[in-house]
Structure formats: structure tokens, C-alpha cells
Amino acid sequence: MWRMAQDPSLTEDEHLVLRLHPHWKTLIRPLAVAVLVVAVALVAEVVIPSGSAATPARLAVAVAAIAFLMLWLMVPVLRWRTTVFELTSRRLRMRDGIITRHGRDIPLARINDVSFTKGLLDRLLGSGRLVVESAGEHGQIVLTDIPQVEFAQATLFRLVEDEQRRLERNSGNQP
């Protein structure tokens, strides 16, 4: 049977429990603007009067609309795709960035509290904000647009509890 290759950034006894990208609702605004641009381009194509200059003008409108759409949609989609929240058996990992990557790891043993909030739209779409309080210099971390935020909060809480029990067992085995 085939096994997935172990992520080299994980420690030997660590495994990935949950991997999330921001909720798809982060793409609603760019997609709405894209629909608007297509509508405006179509209207412009129809309004351009026929004649010898009509073909180049229509081609220019089409090229401008396509170029705008590619640039307008590319950045939000890449940002959404490259932003990752991972829960492992030992830490909470956050990675983001299109060209330059940024990462942050919080050991589960340093997490004091995990909570979530969901507004009306979040409740309808199944997302929310995950608030993680940790001991250390950064204190509170707010992760927005987390899909299935209640499940993510419960999973993180369970992992924190498991890590605390593991550390207590290990400290009890020390002479």
C-alpha cells in the first residue's frame, strides 16, 4: 500500500491533523468585480459603432478586460491558495505569501485559550474567526475566515489537552 511522504518540516513524532485554507468567501468580492467587468466589456462591445475602426476598438476592449481580469483575480486567488493553517500533533502552523513566504508556529503547549466568533454571514457560510491566546510575546492571534471554525476550535482544544497530558506523562518519567 502506498503511504504519503512525511512532511520534512514535521518532527519525527509529529503528524498533520488538520489543514485549512481561508474560507472561499474571501473570493466573493474579486469575483463580483470580475462579473461587473465582463458586463461592462460586453456593453462596450455592443455600443461601439460599426465601421472601419470597430474591429480594433472591440479588440482593444476585449484585451483590456481580459488583462484586468487576469491581474484582478490572480492575486486574491493566489493569496487564498498559498495561505495555510495547519494543526499538527505538536503545533499550530500558519503559512502565507505569494512571492515571499511568511510562517509562524505556535507550540500547543504554549496555547492558553481557544475561542471562535461567528457573525450572521459567517453562520450562513460556515466560517468564522478563531482566536488563539498563547503564552509569549505575541499574546492573542486572530485567524479570520476559517472554514468550519467550530470544528477547528474543538480540534485545536483537543490537541492542546492531549499535548498537556503528554508533557505531564513525560515530566513524571523524568528522575
Side-chain angles (χ1 to χ4, degrees):
M1 175 160 247
W2 293 93
R3 296 192 72 197
M4 288 181 56
Q6 177 74 14
D7 184 343
S9 65
L10 299 178
T11 61
E12 188 175 305
D13 61 342
E14 181 179 27
H15 63 278
L16 183 63
V17 176
L18 185 63
R19 180 184 181 129
L20 299 169
H21 292 279
H23 194 271
W24 58 265
K25 77 175 187 175
T26 60
L27 299 174
I28 291 174
R29 184 173 293 136
L31 289 174
V33 170
V35 169
L36 183 64
V37 166
V38 168
V40 168
L42 289 174
V43 167
E45 294 283 336
V46 171
V47 171
I48 294 174
S50 59
S52 62
T55 302
R58 288 185 177 134
L59 184 61
V61 167
V63 167
I66 290 170
F68 177 80
L69 287 174
M70 286 178 59
L71 292 174
W72 179 257
L73 289 175
M74 186 171 53
V75 172
V77 168
L78 285 175
R79 186 176 297 125
W80 173 79
R81 188 71 185 122
T82 59
T83 300
V84 180
F85 307 107
E86 295 177 335
L87 294 175
T88 74
S89 55
R90 299 282 182 264
R91 56 191 159 153
L92 167 62
R93 297 171 13 139
M94 297 159 283
R95 305 285 186 265
D96 69 325
I98 298 171
I99 296 172
T100 59
R101 297 287 290 164
H102 306 277
R104 181 160 181 206
D105 294 3
I106 302 171
L108 295 179
R110 296 181 74 82
I111 294 177
N112 299 330
D113 184 47
V114 183
S115 60
F116 69 89
T117 58
K118 294 171 78 169
L120 179 60
L121 183 61
D122 291 330
R123 291 184 72 185
L124 292 171
L125 296 177
S127 66
R129 289 180 357 154
L130 187 66
V131 181
V132 179
E133 291 188 28
S134 67
E137 62 189 59
H138 296 292
Q140 191 178 74
I141 298 104
V142 178
L143 307 174
T144 58
D145 300 322
I146 301 297
Q148 304 171 354
V149 70
E150 291 180 53
F151 176 73
Q153 184 262 352
T155 303
L156 181 54
F157 182 79
R158 181 181 49 82
L159 289 170
V160 168
E161 293 289 315
D162 291 348
E163 180 68 2
Q164 288 174 349
R165 279 194 292 277
R166 184 187 73 81
L167 292 173
E168 287 171 4
R169 277 193 313 269
N170 287 349
S171 66
N173 294 338
Q174 298 293 327

